[in-house]
Amino acid sequence: MKRSIIILALLANSLLIYSQKWAPTGAKWYYSFTPGMQYELAVIESIGDVTINDVLCQKLNSYVIYAEMEPNGTYHWDTLNCPYQYTFFNSNKVFIYNSTSNGFDVLYDFSATPGDIVTVKDTPFPGYCPEGCYPDCQLFQYVIDSINYNLFINGINLKRFYTSPTENSDYVFTDPDSMVGYAPIIERLGSLKYLFGVTRMQVMEGAINCLRCYEDSTIFYRIPGWPTTLPCDYLPPLYTQLPEDSGMLKKQIKVYPNPSATNLYIQYPDGFEILGYELINLSGLICQREDFLVPQNPVSIISLRQGYYFLKLKTSRGVFYFHFIKI
């Protein structure tokens, strides 16, 4: 009898350790958005267990915190709640529930080796909040490029998987412009870009930058780029009042063509003077700048890589931001 109790206790303990390898209840992921966006923070939290198709899953609650403007120009923080996701860990793989097929797809394979290809989805799907894919994405597939075995978090040695999307994949884990570079996948944590991946061509409003922190009952991880002086759920001070005429003034400036492969032309009325400009990528890094722009001269974007950017115009009437796409 005593021996049976010991065996059952050991078995229960091993099951507990096994279940803690992925998204234990209370686990939280905190993600930053690209600087300058109205969206600021995305949070994913494991909120408990649920059984789907006789499989015990972790229920993940995702939400986005963003700045909402009031009619008088002041701002307040608001929350966008995303659909629940359901995930479980088995045979060193992380699975995610597919409501369309009423089955499960492999999100991560921690037993994969370099050269292996992981296909998450190969049929239409609407995408994951906050990086929805419109129209519906067709393919989420990536290849394992390399593996690093020397990351220690709270004394636990975890593997880092560096990946790249296959040629036609609509969803990715990769982003060389984020604060974590190519955003590896880490055991127990998932992708440092975003847990569920992001669309290959992220929309300008709502572009996820990267993970800030991950925490559960046994480990805590803060990326080197997130200041130790700031909490993981930090929200910056909000603007209390916009200049009354800023919106009207911006409408008088035209930036074209958009998208463009070579040049941006700026059209503005009398009374404006362009004092300079900056071209800023989605990570908030300045890619190009000039402190003076000759009237009627275009802004060359030939040297930029394809993707989404901001044009920051410094004018005699204020500073204005414009989105554009380099093709």
Side-chain angles (χ1 to χ4, degrees):
M1 178 68 177
K2 187 174 183 179
R3 181 180 179 184
S4 298
I5 293 174
I6 293 174
I7 292 174
L8 288 173
L10 290 173
L11 179 60
N13 186 59
S14 66
L15 289 173
L16 177 62
I17 294 173
Y18 180 84
S19 66
Q20 295 300 302
K21 288 184 178 180
W22 179 254
T25 299
K28 295 184 80 169
W29 295 258
Y30 303 87
Y31 299 89
S32 285
F33 283 85
T34 300
M37 299 298 187
Q38 70 181 98
Y39 296 98
E40 180 63 32
L41 173 66
V43 179
I44 301 174
E45 182 177 9
S46 179
I47 58 175
D49 298 332
V50 63
T51 300
I52 301 177
N53 296 342
D54 297 324
V55 177
L56 184 63
C57 302
Q58 283 73 49
K59 184 177 182 180
L60 302 182
N61 180 37
S62 309
Y63 56 92
V64 176
I65 298 176
Y66 64 99
E68 179 74 12
M69 189 175 72
E70 301 282 3
N72 64 357
T74 62
Y75 282 84
H76 69 272
W77 291 116
D78 209 339
T79 301
L80 169 67
N81 292 301
C82 305
Y84 291 123
Q85 302 295 332
Y86 305 93
T87 180
F88 74 94
F89 182 88
N90 188 31
S91 299
N92 225 22
K93 297 179 181 179
V94 172
F95 295 83
I96 187 167
Y97 179 64
N98 183 337
S99 59
T100 303
S101 66
N102 192 29
F104 292 91
D105 302 312
V106 175
L107 184 63
Y108 303 115
D109 184 353
F110 296 137
S111 61
T113 58
D116 287 351
I117 295 176
V118 178
T119 300
V120 181
K121 292 181 184 288
D122 57 5
T123 56
F125 67 102
Y128 302 106
C129 180
E131 298 292 350
C133 191
Y134 304 101
D136 291 353
C137 289
Q138 300 289 323
L139 182 65
F140 186 0
Q141 187 180 67
Y142 59 95
V143 60
I144 307 297
D145 295 327
S146 63
I147 302 174
N148 181 289
Y149 296 86
N150 299 311
L151 176 66
F152 287 87
I153 301 177
N154 295 106
I156 303 172
N157 189 12
L158 301 174
K159 291 187 287 186
R160 282 176 286 186
F161 296 80
Y162 291 88
T163 70
S164 58
T166 56
E167 182 179 359
N168 296 315
S169 180
D170 296 315
Y171 253 56
V172 302
F173 286 128
T174 310
D175 181 5
D177 293 325
S178 75
M179 287 192 293
V180 291
Y182 275 94
I185 296 169
I186 299 179
E187 284 184 295
R188 294 186 59 160
L189 277 67
S191 169
L192 292 196
K193 179 61 178 177
Y194 187 60
L195 189 67
F196 307 128
V198 298
T199 63
R200 197 163 195 157
M201 293 296 288
Q202 296 182 60
V203 294
M204 292 298 291
E205 282 79 18
I208 287 281
N209 190 308
C210 66
L211 182 79
R212 293 179 180 179
C213 312
Y214 168 82
E215 62 182 7
D216 63 32
S217 59
T218 57
I219 66 173
F220 174 81
Y221 178 72
R222 179 194 301 266
I223 68 164
W226 184 248
T228 57
T229 55
L230 297 179
C232 296
D233 60 353
Y234 170 78
L235 295 172
L238 288 172
Y239 293 109
T240 57
Q241 186 70 40
L242 287 176
E244 292 182 5
D245 61 349
S246 63
M248 294 300 296
L249 289 173
K250 183 176 179 179
K251 290 180 180 179
Q252 300 179 53
I253 304 174
K254 306 296 182 184
V255 177
Y256 64 95
N258 189 11
S260 175
T262 55
N263 295 309
L264 295 176
Y265 293 87
I266 303 170
Q267 179 181 329
Y268 52 92
D270 295 338
F272 277 87
E273 180 183 358
I274 305 298
L275 306 177
Y277 73 88
E278 295 174 356
L279 302 182
I280 305 170
N281 67 16
L282 286 181
S283 295
L285 300 177
I286 299 174
C287 303
Q288 185 175 310
R289 67 181 297 172
E290 292 287 345
D291 293 327
F292 177 74
L293 183 64
V294 177
Q296 310 307 319
N297 276 14
V299 174
S300 174
I301 58 172
I302 294 176
S303 63
L304 299 181
R305 294 188 301 174
Q306 292 182 348
Y308 290 88
Y309 294 88
F310 293 108
L311 168 64
K312 178 182 178 181
L313 278 183
K314 303 175 183 179
T315 81
S316 57
R317 304 287 296 275
V319 176
F320 303 92
Y321 289 85
F322 299 85
H323 304 155
F324 71 93
I325 302 173
K326 165 63 185 293
I327 57 175

